[in-house]
Amino acid sequence: MAERADVIIIGAGMAGISAGYALREGRPDLRITILEGRFRVGGRIHTVTMDEGGPNETEIDLGAAWLQSPDQNPLAPLLQDVKKYDTPISSNAVFVEHQGVNIAGERLSQHEVDTLNETAHEWIANAIKLYGEDEELQDDAATSNVIELLPQLTQSNIMVANRHDRLTAMLLRATMENYLASSIEQVAGFGLDDASFARDPQSLLQDGFGIAIDRMSKHLDVRVNNVVTRIQALGEDLGVLITTQSGILYWAQKVIVTVPLGVLKIGSVEFIPPLPSRKLEAISRIGFGVVDKVVLRFPHVFWNEDRHFITYLTSDRSLVNVFLNMAASMKRGNQENHEGGENLSGHHHLGGVPILVGFHSGIFATDNEYLSDEKLVEKAMVPLRNMHGNDIPEPVEVYTTRWGLDPMSLGSYSAPHVVRNLRIAGVEEDIDPFAELSEPIGTSIYFAGESTSRESGFVHGAFTSGYRAASEVQMDGIDAIEKIRPV
């Protein structure tokens, strides 16, 4: 016999938890159950503690980490009393290899970095202008590659360019790839809109994004280790039957599906009847990127603390090439944090937290996921040794991520990828993939998640999508389960 609920939410990431939180606020009489395949809540939000109980105890987000525009962010009211640390993207120490061999300790001057950034913005502005004037490119927006608009970024052009253009291209490529969770070979022409990127201000949360999940899920019925394999709509007013991997059945009047786009793409959740053609095309059209982290805690800080980010410009794209400098982020945060209440965790960092969060993305991150932890750490240590010398210490604590191999996500977040197969049978006209993916199926199956949002790729996009789906459920009408006949 199936266990019954008024609403079942599939997935306990930000979208699923916010949907449950919103429904509980609006309809406390409803029985709401959240099914989560992992052994924890949070989904692609995963906060861990490094140096737990030690002098440098620090919360680190292995997944989503940044709160964009913290004062105006939809999550701001929920996190008003949480200490935040500004991490300006412009605060970037840039090191460079020279003809394939790094000159140890060579760091570009701030003046040269500023000049490179100015040129990069000019290149993007010119590319966007070209895109706007070329109707053929616009017609093929989903199938054309960003390299057609920015040929300077190809490795062959980088190798023959003068120093200024070479470094500009390498810096822009590194920034784009880590921001879009994609290699430039994967990014479509329309991705330039997203690549106007670098949304300052952006802040880290001292307690990590896990605190938002904890606050909203506190009074919700979340069932972890429940992998959903089938969602079956039983017919008008007959509800939805859900099957889990363990064979447990659930029945609900309405279901909100918040599984990541990567899971929808491989079809590991069976829908009966099958998803409509337009929704399948939306799933096909939206790209899903991979950005992974190699988090290293050292016995002490051996690098300069004057910038929030450290970028290593290299021709070896398999290396970790961008680092978030927690020594600067935590230190500067204590001086410049947004106003708020006392730090909830009780931690009072005095700066100098010896932690670097390394990033690698796209095709090369996907390949790196098959490496051992030791080899992944080496992908980060090679640039650090080249920048700071061979006598730097080894890390004393390490976390690595493999979001692309994680069966509960199969990627990190939505990305503007080139679409190879444009048309699903039965879909003749162009569609808005984000709007289509968010569209309910009848009045029983609803969709939420960052991939259903105009703010795709951001935590607040997932958060607001959960509220939107909860609103749709209520607008379509639902009675508490005690008021309806058994099925």
Side-chain angles (χ1 to χ4, degrees), residues 182-242:
S182 309
S183 300
I184 56 169
E185 293 85 357
Q186 297 173 295
V187 178
F190 66 87
L192 279 175
D193 290 336
D194 293 321
S196 304
F197 38 82
R199 297 192 183 188
D200 277 339
Q202 57 173 13
S203 297
L204 299 174
L205 304 178
Q206 175 151 328
D207 299 280
F209 254 116
I211 194 170
I213 297 292
D214 291 343
R215 287 182 172 184
M216 289 191 292
S217 64
K218 187 175 181 180
H219 299 293
L220 297 177
D221 177 17
V222 182
R223 317 280 182 91
V224 298
N225 193 28
N226 270 273
V227 179
V228 171
T229 57
R230 177 182 293 171
I231 301 170
Q232 182 176 1
L234 299 176
E236 188 174 355
D237 298 327
L238 294 178
V240 183
L241 188 65
I242 295 165

Side-chain angles (χ1 to χ4, degrees), residues 216-391:
M216 289 191 292
S217 64
K218 187 175 181 180
H219 299 293
L220 297 177
D221 177 17
V222 182
R223 317 280 182 91
V224 298
N225 193 28
N226 270 273
V227 179
V228 171
T229 57
R230 177 182 293 171
I231 301 170
Q232 182 176 1
L234 299 176
E236 188 174 355
D237 298 327
L238 294 178
V240 183
L241 188 65
I242 295 165
T243 306
T244 65
Q245 198 172 65
S246 59
I248 298 174
L249 299 178
Y250 294 86
W251 175 90
Q253 297 184 65
K254 297 179 185 293
V255 171
I256 300 176
V257 179
T258 74
V259 299
L261 179 64
V263 176
L264 291 176
K265 280 181 175 290
I266 68 163
S268 57
V269 178
E270 180 187 11
F271 287 83
I272 301 175
L275 291 174
S277 297
R278 292 174 65 89
K279 195 169 290 290
L280 290 173
E281 174 144 339
I283 292 168
S284 173
R285 277 177 172 256
I286 303 172
F288 205 54
V290 173
V291 60
D292 279 317
K293 298 181 181 182
V294 179
V295 187
L296 309 171
R297 181 172 68 85
F298 293 92
H300 58 83
V301 176
F302 58 82
W303 58 92
N304 291 330
E305 299 180 38
D306 61 336
R307 292 291 182 270
H308 288 86
F309 294 92
I310 302 168
T311 300
Y312 178 64
L313 303 184
T314 174
S315 57
D316 185 351
R317 295 167 69 192
S318 73
L319 296 176
V320 173
N321 62 350
V322 175
F323 297 86
L324 171 63
N325 178 7
M326 297 300 291
S329 299
M330 291 298 188
K331 183 176 182 180
R332 194 164 295 192
N334 279 292
Q335 300 166 357
E336 301 176 4
N337 60 288
H338 291 263
E339 291 184 4
E342 185 67 19
N343 167 24
L344 296 180
S345 66
H347 306 162
H348 295 280
H349 298 293
L350 299 177
V353 178
I355 295 173
L356 293 172
V357 181
F359 298 85
H360 52 133
S361 57
I363 296 167
F364 299 92
T366 300
D367 291 342
N368 284 347
E369 289 193 348
Y370 293 94
L371 301 177
S372 65
D373 280 356
E374 291 75 17
K375 290 183 178 179
L376 272 178
V377 169
E378 192 63 16
K379 291 288 185 180
M381 290 301 294
V382 167
L384 291 174
R385 292 191 196 102
N386 285 340
M387 290 186 282
H388 299 286
N390 290 325
D391 58 347

